[in-house]
């Protein structure tokens, strides 16, 4: 019996169930991944026992010498991975990384210009239900409703009219390349700070598969747990001139003690992301996404913007007469986990939606390639075409289980 099974059999049983769900199913949620055993080990390590408020060499607690070493490694590795001058690796999440940047340079009521949540942006980019839209005056751009891509000319016009203090670029559900240099130029023209939130595409930016914003934008924020394949968390990159206000905004501005077990795991993730294997992995993520998109398009599924350049595709289900919610549930019954998502020109609520977002980071981490993606695309198309057919869902679930068993989550975990 494990320590957990002895102390808390209820939680042990729940974790067991979730382990089985992950082992036997296909995770196509674009913001999720499967971390390495090394990342998992560091995340569950005794580094969790320690308070380390402050920064390396300047802590508010004794006994931090090894925590200093871990945090310095994480900072140095992420700076070298992205070619940045300064990094703060303490934000507990992507939202908190964004919050710290706003705290560093904005005052309540200042203007933010960012992408609309319903067209691909993120809550922490000024949504009215989030702190970012409550504390600051938020203005939002969307995609061009014909091309479903960002229209840099119209964003530049909005920026001139609004005169925001910050322009945020980066998205949660945008399948195309983002021109960070164009955003930096637009920001410079209106005297705004430019924040690139690369939470989704960090792994692709680190490997040069997607152009990196570092060197163009004033700040770069990210999560570590999506394409970067690290523990759940966030970080901020900036030039040295902003190091002090950013560090002050994270601690003591916004957080107390850093999660040192997670910072240690971030350091492992940054090391892994700097390897040739990770470049190959990231290339495969994008190849897999393209194959999935092509397979679905061949079954008359409309892809928002006509395709994908990155790790995700956005499907418009309108032609199939089902909602994103119904498709999410039907695919869930078939062992394929996806999320409903709003699409440009959305007519339904965010709880229902007309779209689905599918992504390839997690299945690629399990070793799946083009032929598996084709098969998965066929299954998705079959389920959404006949979404009430529960016996079809059950039979696909068995096939999904058999495919998943050939690509174990962790080889030693059964
Ligand atoms: N920024 C973007 C673009 C995201 O997609 C997300 C999460 O999905 C976040 C920030 C926030 O990350 P977290 O959930 O860690 O707060």
């Amino acid at each position: 019996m494990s320590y957990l099974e002895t102390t808390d059999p209820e939680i042990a049983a729940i974790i067991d169930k979730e382990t089985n769900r992950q082992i036997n199913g296909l995770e196509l949620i674009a913001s999720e991944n499967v971390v390495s055993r090394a990342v998992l080990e560091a995340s569950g390590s005794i580094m969790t026992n320690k308070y380390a408020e402050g920064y390396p060499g300047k802590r508010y607690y004794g006994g931090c010498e090894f925590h200093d070493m871990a945090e310095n490694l994480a900072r140095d590795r992420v700076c070298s991975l992205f070619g940045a001058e300064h990094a703060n690796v303490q934000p507990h999440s992507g939202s908190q990384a964004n919050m710290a940047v706003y705290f560093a340079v904005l005052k309540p009521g200042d203007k933010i210009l960012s992408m609309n949540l319903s067209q691909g942006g993120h809550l922490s980019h000024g949504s009215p239900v989030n702190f970012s839209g409550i504390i600051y005056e938020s203005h939002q751009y969307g995609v061009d409703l014909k091309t479903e891509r960002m229209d840099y000319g119209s964003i530049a016009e909005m920026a001139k009219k609004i005169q925001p203090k910050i322009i945020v670029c980066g998205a949660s559900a945008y399948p195309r390349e983002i021109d960070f240099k164009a955003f930096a130029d637009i920001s410079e023209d209106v005297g705004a700070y430019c924040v690139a939130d690369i939470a989704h595409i960090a792994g692709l930016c680190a490997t040069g598969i997607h152009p990196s914003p570092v060197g163009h934008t004033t700040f770069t924020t990210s999560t570590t747990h999506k394409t970067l394949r690290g523990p759940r968390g966030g970080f901020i990159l900036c030039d040295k001139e902003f190091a002090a206000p950013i560090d002050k905004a994270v601690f003591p501005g916004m957080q107390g003690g850093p999660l040192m077990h997670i910072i240690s795991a971030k350091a492992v993730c940054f090391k892994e992301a700097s390897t040739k294997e990770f470049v190959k992995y990231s290339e495969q993520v994008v190849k897999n996404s393209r194959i999935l998109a092509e397979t679905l398009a061949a079954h008359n599924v409309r892809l928002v913007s006509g395709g994908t350049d990155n790790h995700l595709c956005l499907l418009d289900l309108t032609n199939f007469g089902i909602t994103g919610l119904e498709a999410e549930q039907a695919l869930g019954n078939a062992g394929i986990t996806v999320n409903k998502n709003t699409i440009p020109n959305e007519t339904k609520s965010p709880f229902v939606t007309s779209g689905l977002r599918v992504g390839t980071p997690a299945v690629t981490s399990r070793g799946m390639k083009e032929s598996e993606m084709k098969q998965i695309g066929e299954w998705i198309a079959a389920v959404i075409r006949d979404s009430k057919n529960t016996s079809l869902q059950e039979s696909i679930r068995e096939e999904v289980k058999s495919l998943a068993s050939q690509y174990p989550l962790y080889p030693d975990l059964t």
Side-chain angles (χ1 to χ4, degrees), residues 171-386:
S172 299
Y174 185 66
R176 295 302 188 173
E177 194 170 293
I178 298 173
D179 188 343
F180 291 119
K181 163 94 173 52
F183 272 107
D185 290 344
I186 293 169
S187 306
E188 198 181 334
D189 282 350
V190 298
Y193 297 110
C194 190
V195 186
D197 177 347
I198 59 167
H200 261 263
I201 54 171
L204 309 182
C205 293
T207 47
I209 291 160
H210 187 293
S212 170
V214 177
H216 297 300
T217 55
T218 336
F219 304 103
T220 298
T221 62
S222 186
T223 56
T224 32
H225 48 271
K226 300 185 173 90
T227 49
L228 205 50
R229 208 165 70 184
R232 312 198 73 73
F235 65 90
I236 304 165
L237 305 174
C238 60
D239 284 351
K240 282 212 166 84
E241 69 172 297
F242 291 104
I246 284 293
D247 287 352
K248 221 172 123 196
V250 175
F251 175 87
M254 194 187 69
Q255 291 182 179
L259 309 177
M260 290 311 301
H261 55 308
I262 295 299
I263 289 176
S264 305
K266 285 175 186 174
V268 178
C269 147
F270 300 143
K271 182 174 184 181
E272 289 177 348
S274 64
T275 60
K276 283 200 195 94
E277 290 73 30
F278 193 79
V279 176
K280 270 174 97 179
Y281 159 72
S282 303
E283 285 167 349
Q284 192 65 50
V285 165
V286 174
K287 273 190 218 162
N288 283 353
S289 176
R290 287 206 182 119
I291 294 291
L292 193 55
E294 282 168 23
T295 310
L296 290 163
H299 284 282
N300 296 321
V301 180
R302 194 183 83 77
L303 298 164
V304 169
S305 82
T308 177
D309 298 327
N310 61 20
H311 63 299
L312 68 85
C313 334
L314 203 51
L315 321 183
D316 175 358
L317 304 173
T318 314
N319 296 340
F320 289 81
I322 56 164
T323 65
L325 176 63
E326 287 163 338
E328 179 187 298
Q329 286 165 348
L331 286 163
N333 293 339
I336 299 173
T337 312
V338 294
N339 66 278
K340 59 184 172 295
N341 215 100
T342 53
I343 55 170
N345 276 320
E346 184 58 74
T347 55
K348 298 186 167 65
S349 93
F351 296 106
V352 179
T353 81
S354 309
L356 270 190
R357 188 183 66 162
V358 294
T360 54
V363 286
T364 310
S365 287
R366 292 179 77 163
M368 295 186 196
K369 294 206 166 78
E370 286 87 334
S371 60
E372 290 76 33
M373 291 306 124
K374 249 184 140 236
Q375 177 61 80
I376 294 169
E378 298 286 338
W379 285 330
I380 294 175
V383 170
I384 60 181
R385 203 186 300 121
D386 194 7

Side-chain angles (χ1 to χ4, degrees), residues 29 47 62 96 113-114 116 120 133-134 145 156 192 231 238 256 323 325 364 396:
I29 294 194
M47 299 297 269
Q96 285 184 282
L113 177 61
S114 57
N116 200 312
I134 295 169
L145 291 178
C238 60
T323 65
L325 176 63
T364 310
I396 291 179

